[in-house]
Structure formats: C-alpha cells, structure tokens
Amino acid sequence: MDKIERKQVVVESFNTDFRRCLNYETLGKDLLNCAEQHANKRGFGVDDITPKNHAWVLSRLTIEMQEMPRMFVKLEISTWVESLYRLFTNRNFEIKEIGGNVIGYARSIWAMIDRDTRQPIELEKLYFEKFHDHILPDYPCPIQPQTRLRPLKDVTPCSEHYIVASDIDYNGHVNSIKYIQFLCDIFSLDYQRQHHLKRVEIAYINESVFGETLSFYKKEIEVNTYQVEIRNTPTNTVVRGLLCFD
Amino acid sequence: MDKIERKQVVVESFNTDFRRCLNYETLGKDLLNCAEQHANKRGFGVDDITPKNHAWVLSRLTIEMQEMPRMFVKLEISTWVESLYRLFTNRNFEIKEIGGNVIGYARSIWAMIDRDTRQPIELEKLYFEKFHDHILPDYPCPIQPQTRLRPLKDVTPCSEHYIVASDIDYNGHVNSIKYIQFLCDIFSLDYQRQHHLKRVEIAYINESVFGETLSFYKKEIEVNTYQVEIRNTPTNTVVRGLLCFD
C-alpha cells in the first residue's frame, strides 16, 4: 500500500470567508479527515484502537499556506507518517491545487491515550508492528517545525468566548478544530482584510468543557507575528499558538 | 435534464456533534451547496446572475429530521424547484441515507436582489425562461410549510454572541448558515443530550455585520417547542425561528 494517502476536496462557497477564500477551520477539518482516512486504511484508525480503549489526541498542529484557495477550487490533500517515537508520532500534509501548484504544508504531532486513565500509552511499543510499513521519513515537508512557545506573561485578555454546545465533541471537550477558528477570530475583520494569515501554530495543552468562558490573549512578538493563548481560568492555559500574517 | 439535482456527502467526524451525529450547521451547508449545484447547472447560478448584478438571498429555511445520521454515514441530498412566483421561488430538499431510508426534508424560499439597490427584482418576469423547464410542483415534500412567526414580546435575552470575523461572508454580512448554529446554541448541552432537535425554522429578516453583538431570545410556546429571535439591537430583529425538540 502507498505510504501516502490522498483525498480530493472542493472549496465550497459556504466554507469560504469574507474574501471568498477557504477558511482555516475548514482546511483544518479537511487535513484531519485525510489523516483519519490514512489511519483507517492502515490499521491504526478509530475502529482499530477504540476496542483497546485507546484514542488519538492531537498535540501540535502547524499549517503554512502561501495563499488560500478561492471558491470552487479543487484541492488534493496528501498525508503521511514521518516518524514514530515512544509516545508521539509525526504526521505531515501537503496541500495542492489540482492541475496547479502546491500551495501549503502542515505538520502535526499526535499522542495516543488510554480513554479511562487519560494517560499516554507506549505508542512505539504497542503499535510499531502496525506502523512500520507506513513510515516515510524523507518525503519533503519544507516548512519549519513548530516553535517552542513559552507562556505569555503580563497580558490582559483581548476578548472572550462562552463555550456553547456546538463547540463540544464526542469526548465532551471543545473540538480541536474549533480552536483554529477561535485563534483567527482574535483578529478583527479590518486587520484580516489587510493581512493574509500565512502560518498558524497550535499547541494543545489542556481541555476545556461546556459552560466555561475562554479568554484570549495576544502579544505581537515581531511585526505582524503574534503569540496567542486561550485560557479557561486566568492561570490555566488551554491552547498556546503563534499566528504569522503577511 | 433531470429536474432534480442529487449530491452525495459523507458525515465526516469533525462535522459531528457531542453525540457523533451530523450537526445542523453542516447539514445546512450541504443543502445550500446542493442548491448551488442545481442552479449552476441549469443557468441561474452565481456565475449566471452576477454579471447582471443580481444575487440570491435566502429568505426562509425549514429543516425537519426524523433522526440525525451518525459519523461515516453516506447521504444523498436531492433538491428541486417547487414553484416560481413574482418575487420568490420555493426550493425543496430530501435527505436520504444511501442504501437506507429518507431521514428528512427541507423547504426554502429565495428572493433575488439587485446588489446595488438591495431591492428585490422581478424574478418571474426576468427569469421565467431559465426556470420553466425546471419546475417540479408535484414531487413530495411531506413536511409542513414554515409557521408564520409573530414578533416575540416581553422577553429578555438569554445569551449573547459578539460577531467575529469568521461569521462574515463575502457580502460583508453574517453567513446565513451561522444563524442555524447560533439558534441551536441557545440550548444547553444537557438539554440537547436529552432532546433530539427535530425541526428548525428560520426566517431571515435583517442583516447583521462585524462588531455587532447578537442577543438571543426564546419562549417555550408548547412543550419542547421554542420560538426564538436574534436581535442586533433591543428592537431590531435579525432572525426569527422555531425549534421543535422531541
């Protein structure tokens, strides 16, 4: 079996933003759907690991887009496993316009947990047999790995979101894709009209649940590059991120 | 050409809710995408009407689902034009599980406006030629037409949403699909765990824009049936709706 899984998607008008370009939330879903399809076909998807009471947890996600495709453009998303470690696996993505150029890449890091104890399981030990035919270390993913983000200090919240039912996934936590939208929405419509969001980094630190209020923090660390945080209490960080605009 | 347009979609995991069932927001997008495909192929889609400076405006949408399909279920959505009037056209939908039963229907009413004046245009007069081969008055859509909803009186807001950039579409207004999610989110996770949302009615009254705060109002008019409103000022109603839970 090919080590790379490919999935074609169309940029549908109701998944586009105020510019009629694909939004990051939908792109994030498309990437994760492609990852799911890759894992399902190769024996380490949801249906394979749920009977062992295991679950995949997304730990880091970085997406870098030279441009965002416009309405009705057809895309091919490719994904492959770059490496497998004791507790983590790295999965990369390429985003290409069909009949055109590669327009972006993404990197992700995943852990697997026991659904009862919520503790990470020994991925390399328990799943090496499943993975070893599917690791592709040398396929190019020419974007920088995720930045090591230190906690933000001395910041005050710039906005808030009260968690609602549609934010919540099957595990009872805020859906990991929703945070992509929350991070983009820290920035005003005017700012986003003037600046293309080129790179998004997300580090998932803690879970948040229905009824909590999320507070958003940002700090411009270089021109048009912002470190951001989402907290569910003044001291508990849920997500840390970096957004780089052109 | 067949008067009915069909589109197949898969319920993808990141479009499911806390029950792992398709969410209403994604279903709404799927319906409107199918409608767009129907219109594009028959000469009255976006590409045909934009050069005339016309735009479709969704005026009413009613969706009724016996059940919500679970993750990975394959659906076939069908849509057809039921009728054409002076200023409006009625478009219906059927939602079927592939290899299974019809699980829901939807009804919608559309107007066409001039993009500059924002006034409705004479749909029957200007577009009858385009439509007349594609009207299908007798195909069954066995759900009640939309209720005539009177304004709610003497109500206080039960929650709020500050409009963010990702809510906004190409026309600079809140995306019509977002309101479906806002209406569902008036209800708590606990309530939605206990009650299946069987029927959603939305009447689009006014536009709202970035920077406004939407206030949500609800009134239980029968057991588990709620009339709801979204306003962008205490007296200006943006959306009126009816939500019927089992």
Side-chain angles (χ1 to χ4, degrees), chain A residues 1-5 38 42 44 56 79-86 88-92 123-125 127-139:
Chain A
M1 181 179 282
D2 194 343
K3 291 184 170 64
I4 301 179
E5 181 72 22
H38 177 279
R42 287 163 183 80
F44 43 89
W56 283 114
T79 187
W80 64 97
V81 172
E82 187 187 55
S83 51
L84 180 72
Y85 296 106
R86 192 169 73 91
F88 290 100
T89 177
N90 288 310
R91 170 186 288 286
N92 297 341
L123 194 54
E124 201 173 17
K125 199 160 123 188
Y127 285 90
F128 181 75
E129 289 292 311
K130 292 279 189 190
F131 270 81
H132 81 293
D133 282 345
H134 304 293
I135 298 174
L136 186 60
D138 300 326
Y139 198 78

Side-chain angles (χ1 to χ4, degrees), chain A residues 7 12-20 23 25-26 28-30 32-33 36-37 40 46-47 50 70-72 110 115 160-162 164-172 175-178 181 184-185 187-190 192-193 210, chain B residues 7 12-20 23 25-26 28-30 32-33 36-37 40 46-47 50 70-72 110 115 160-162 164-172 175-178 181 184-185 187-190 192-193 210:
Chain A
K7 187 175 164 79
E12 294 190 317
S13 55
F14 294 95
N15 290 326
T16 60
D17 64 8
F18 55 89
R19 277 179 302 242
R20 271 197 183 150
N23 63 49
E25 186 190 0
T26 305
K29 280 182 196 172
D30 289 339
L32 299 195
N33 281 328
E36 191 171 61
Q37 186 173 307
N40 285 344
V46 166
D47 289 347
T50 305
R70 294 187 68 75
M71 185 166 75
F72 301 145
W110 300 76
R115 289 170 59 90
E160 285 187 342
H161 172 76
Y162 181 81
V164 290
S166 67
D167 295 332
I168 303 299
D169 69 12
Y170 185 67
N171 295 311
N175 186 324
S176 52
I177 292 299
K178 279 278 169 180
Q181 182 202 310
C184 298
D185 281 332
F187 298 85
S188 75
L189 190 61
D190 269 359
Q192 293 191 55
R193 280 192 199 283
F210 181 81
Chain B
K7 187 176 164 76
E12 293 189 318
S13 55
F14 295 95
N15 291 326
T16 60
D17 65 7
F18 57 87
R19 275 180 302 241
R20 271 195 182 149
N23 62 51
E25 186 192 1
T26 304
K29 280 183 194 170
D30 290 338
L32 298 196
N33 282 328
E36 190 171 63
Q37 185 173 308
N40 286 345
V46 166
D47 289 347
T50 306
R70 295 187 67 76
M71 184 166 76
F72 301 144
W110 300 75
R115 288 170 60 90
E160 286 187 342
H161 171 77
Y162 181 83
V164 290
S166 67
D167 295 332
I168 303 300
D169 68 12
Y170 185 67
N171 295 311
N175 187 323
S176 52
I177 292 299
K178 278 279 168 178
Q181 182 203 311
C184 297
D185 280 333
F187 297 85
S188 75
L189 189 61
D190 268 359
Q192 293 192 54
R193 279 192 200 283
F210 181 80

